[in-house]
Amino acid sequence: MRAKFVNECVSFNQSRDPLPSLNIGITPKIIAWLNLYYIKDYMINDDLTIDVYGDVILTNNDIIEFPEYIKFNNITGRFLCDYCLLKNLKGCPTSVGGSFYCDHNHLINLAGCPEKIGGTFVCTFNHLTDLVNGPKLVQGSYLCSYNNLISLNGCVTKLRASFDCSDNRLRKLGGCPKTVRHFFKCNNNKTKFKIDYILDLCKVEPKNIFI
């Protein structure tokens, strides 16, 4: 059996986590942290990563960074760590079935960001200068406005919804998605971009472009 349900019991595993039944080792620390933030319906895997069957909502908590023993894996719902004090995304999930919000933090890069996001990705109001190490797949919108972006390198190539890189320091849009189904917003940057320039880079309806 590769994983153990902690809502029922914590089994003794001497090789990986000695004496958890006596509240000694890593697993009890993980459980205590999850309980502190009211995270339920979770499973701790053999490698001590955490799967959650539902949402993880950490919004508006004073979390500077996740403890070294916290490493989320797969989240079926949303993962919201916005309006915290996060300086990095180490410990965040590998994949999120719903939306991933990490806006209003102190992030300078996206290292540790989920690779796959089934909903919208929001990283607004941080200190990002590029999108390197960002998600490789976003099923919803991609919102990266109000940062210090000088490059869109690292952005996804295709979006089923909207893309917003407004209110940054961009002088060019190279690296932007090649396809955007809904709105493309790039206003309030160092350069006022022309619609024809955007259409050369991205397949999007001209009426949906905000410059």
Side-chain angles (χ1 to χ4, degrees):
M1 186 174 183
R2 300 183 62 188
K4 46 187 175 287
F5 283 93
V6 300
N7 289 350
E8 297 179 0
C9 66
V10 180
S11 61
F12 183 86
N13 187 331
Q14 190 175 17
S15 64
R16 287 187 177 272
D17 194 6
L19 301 179
S21 61
L22 298 178
N23 204 31
I24 298 173
I26 298 175
T27 300
K29 292 182 180 180
I30 296 173
I31 295 170
W33 193 93
L34 296 173
N35 289 341
L36 178 64
Y37 293 103
Y38 305 100
I39 299 171
K40 301 180 179 180
D41 298 323
Y42 58 84
M43 181 169 64
I44 300 177
N45 300 302
D46 284 347
D47 61 359
L48 299 180
T49 59
I50 306 158
D51 292 336
V52 180
Y53 303 97
D55 296 333
V56 173
I57 301 178
L58 302 169
T59 301
N60 200 27
N61 279 291
D62 294 339
I63 304 173
I64 297 175
E65 60 184 351
F66 294 119
E68 61 180 10
Y69 52 83
I70 293 296
K71 178 63 179 81
F72 289 98
N73 185 34
N74 296 317
I75 310 297
T76 63
R78 301 170 297 163
F79 192 97
L80 311 182
C81 55
D82 51 327
Y83 289 91
C84 293
L85 302 172
L86 288 172
K87 62 181 184 181
N88 63 63
L89 295 176
K90 184 179 180 181
C92 283
T94 302
S95 67
V96 177
S99 295
F100 179 83
Y101 288 14
C102 60
D103 54 289
H104 291 86
N105 280 296
H106 302 302
L107 304 176
I108 60 173
N109 62 61
L110 292 176
C113 188
E115 295 182 4
K116 298 179 180 180
I117 298 173
T120 292
F121 174 55
V122 185
C123 61
T124 58
F125 291 96
N126 279 291
H127 310 295
L128 305 173
T129 56
D130 60 44
L131 302 172
V132 173
N133 294 315
K136 297 178 180 179
L137 175 67
V138 175
Q139 301 282 24
S141 294
Y142 193 120
L143 311 180
C144 54
S145 57
Y146 293 98
N147 275 286
N148 297 318
L149 293 176
I150 57 176
S151 168
L152 295 178
N153 288 341
C155 190
V156 296
T157 58
K158 184 177 181 180
L159 283 173
R160 296 180 179 179
S162 298
F163 178 69
D164 185 356
C165 63
S166 61
D167 295 280
N168 278 292
R169 299 167 54 200
L170 294 166
R171 297 183 183 276
K172 56 184 180 179
L173 296 176
C176 72
K178 295 180 180 180
T179 303
V180 173
R181 185 169 295 181
H182 294 157
F183 298 109
F184 189 114
K185 298 183 67 176
C186 58
N187 51 298
N188 296 330
N189 274 289
K190 290 292 185 179
T191 297
K192 183 175 175 60
F193 301 106
K194 296 182 179 181
I195 291 180
D196 287 344
Y197 168 71
I198 297 169
L199 292 176
D200 285 341
L201 296 172
C202 177
K203 182 179 179 181
V204 57
E205 289 290 333
K207 66 180 181 181
N208 291 336
I209 298 174
F210 293 82
I211 56 173

